[in-house]
Amino acid sequence: MPTNIPPEAQAKWEEYSKAKTPEEKLQKLKEFYSLIPKHKGTEKMEKFIKRRMSELREQIKKHKLNKKTKGPSLMVEKRGAAQLVLIGYTNSGRSTILSALTNARVGISPNPFSTLRPVEGMMEFRGAQIQVVEVPPIIPKAQGGPTNLSVTLAGNADVLGIVLDSLDNPTWRFEELVKFIESKGILLERPRGKVRIKRSKAAPTIIIINKGRIIDGNEKDIKGILHFYGIERAWIEIEGYVTLDDIEEAVFGEKKYKPFIIFLTKVDLLNDKASIENLKNKIGGKALAIVTHPDGIPSRDELGDIILKELGLIRIFTKSKNEKYPSEKAVILPHGSTVIDLAKAIHKSFSERFRYAKVWARRLPYSPMKVGPDFILENMDTVEIVVR
Ligand SMILES: Nc1nc2c(ncn2[C@@H]2O[C@H](COP(=O)(O)OP(=O)(O)OP(=O)(O)O)[C@@H](O)[C@H]2O)c(=O)[nH]1
Ligand SMILES: [Mg+2]
């Protein structure tokens, strides 16, 4: 909970909240920053203000750039069941992985900074497609340039593929990269809870929809924090375990959690394999580290499965009555989906005319088994829906 904020700073914060343009917001925020005392209790706030300021600077710059050039967009439109963004330092082997997983045409080169624009390709595996995007290399100290674009694209990804060169201090590099990405508001550790603040004039007051637990306070404390920041009308949604700090963070913008996979490259050139174990110990159970070398990138099937699992998605194969084999294309559904969810996903009429389904799966005592609408599906099940 913010303490010891002088009234003139509070007033400045209100001015900031009301400011319309990014330029104006940045100016007010700078003034606010100069007015708050700096000590342990305000550390969090300081961090957020700095982040918000850099976001605003970024917005202003982009806006100017857009005005000047009307070239092709550097954003990548999402396709397929999920998007994997390959992020890392220059020469780490991002293009090598992209071209191993997809048919994308990309330049692989021992020279640094070969990929300065996003390149995308489709990774096809049994029944599904995952879009793989290589983004320009990260330069941690960079102010702007392709690094910012990469951070934006990473923030938009479903999964991050962190590419690390095993010859270049991978554990240290990993930590540096994580710190950098997190400073940009992308969280790599699964949060225990989630806070979403939706400001709206339509909200009569502050409405808290609490589906979780507030560890170190109560709803009155939350209202106090929001009131402090001049938020009087909003819906606050809480899931899982959250702290009052999390609420304060959410005022400054929701942090985006991204699951990630590590690709450790060039192990064929590595003499001492200890650094691989070192890295694996460091990341613990947080992510999967995949060791790759020029002809040893994991199969698309394996990797696709890992990614879908990480995202809580399953692949279901459907069969129609007159076909002997299921369709080659899978239906991608959230984990825990039922037969009727599948029917809805295929077509509305399927769910309306649903009678029963036949399921083929190894876990069943026999296949096909006749099941009702609430039967819970699992990854790789084959289903035939029988309608009226
Ligand atoms: N021996 C070996 N060489 C690799 C491996 N992975 C990548 N390389 C080489 O490392 C160099 C850089 O690889 P790229 O895939 O171009 O790296 P990048 O991350 O895309 O680099 P930029 O786009 O230039 O930032 C190339 O010469 C690759 O052939 C590997 O596992 N083993
Ligand atoms: Mg490249």
Side-chain angles (χ1 to χ4, degrees), residues 90-109:
T90 188
N91 246 326
S92 53
R94 300 175 335 277
S95 297
T96 307
I97 291 170
L98 176 70
S99 70
L101 294 177
T102 73
N103 300 329
R105 280 208 259 154
V106 60
I108 296 171
S109 148

Side-chain angles (χ1 to χ4, degrees), residues 75-80 83-86 98-99 102-106 115 117-123 130-135:
M75 296 310 281
V76 181
E77 203 185 316
K78 280 197 181 183
R79 299 190 290 138
Q83 189 189 62
L84 167 73
V85 166
L86 298 172
L98 176 70
S99 70
T102 73
N103 300 329
R105 280 208 259 154
V106 60
T115 311
R117 289 176 146 263
V119 192
E120 60 138 353
M122 272 297 186
M123 177 175 104
I130 285 178
Q131 183 185 35
V132 185
V133 183
E134 176 186 0
V135 296

